[in-house]
Amino acid sequence: MATQQASNKRRGAAFEIDLADWLMQQGLNAQRLPRAGRNDIGDVFLPATNDIYVIEAKAPRRDGKVDLSGWLREAYLEAENYRKSKNMKVAPTPLVIIKASNKGIEDAYVVQRLGDILAKL
């Protein structure tokens, strides 16, 4: 019998793969990032026309527990880790993409801080 933690990791890894594949099917140059342990660099890298994104993908349990502030904090830390690992001057824009229960990838939720969006407008 698998532990709950192992089950959560499998669900999360499956969502990361599905998300990267779906983004590529949309014609985007997404790639799943390798796990980097303590200095993790995010789950999916997505270069776009006007920005570069590092995505933290989340597939919450069915009990609906969501930690937006914690997940955003994690996404910002991982974007900074990505910047350092690639010797970039500016960190990629972090995004949190949350799987919607019993729905397709296109129905996932994208979370970003309002100040970051306004800075791009």
Side-chain angles (χ1 to χ4, degrees), residues 14-112:
F15 181 57
E16 293 168 16
I17 292 165
D18 291 346
L19 176 61
D21 288 349
W22 186 85
L23 290 168
M24 287 186 280
Q25 290 169 4
Q26 305 310 305
L28 299 168
N29 190 23
Q31 70 181 68
R32 185 161 180 243
L33 295 169
R35 295 193 186 273
R38 195 178 102 179
N39 296 318
D40 196 9
I41 58 173
D43 298 325
V44 178
F45 175 74
L46 179 62
T49 305
N50 296 322
D51 207 348
I52 299 171
Y53 299 95
V54 168
I55 297 169
E56 181 61 27
K58 295 294 183 183
R61 296 180 304 207
R62 295 209 188 278
D63 64 9
K65 290 189 179 181
V66 174
D67 180 12
L68 292 181
S69 62
W71 293 346
L72 276 169
R73 194 170 34 254
E74 182 180 358
Y76 276 85
L77 176 63
E78 292 178 2
E80 180 60 19
N81 288 344
Y82 187 92
R83 181 195 70 75
K84 288 177 185 175
S85 75
K86 303 299 184 187
N87 294 316
M88 299 169 74
K89 290 185 180 189
V90 177
T93 300
L95 296 176
V96 176
I97 299 185
I98 306 166
K99 183 180 184 319
S101 184
N102 298 318
K103 303 217 183 225
I105 298 287
E106 66 277 3
D107 291 319
Y109 306 105
V110 179
V111 179
Q112 189 177 30

Side-chain angles (χ1 to χ4, degrees), residues 3-20:
T3 66
Q4 184 65 38
Q5 185 176 12
S7 176
N8 290 343
K9 284 187 183 246
R10 273 195 308 276
R11 184 175 54 254
F15 181 57
E16 293 168 16
I17 292 165
D18 291 346
L19 176 61

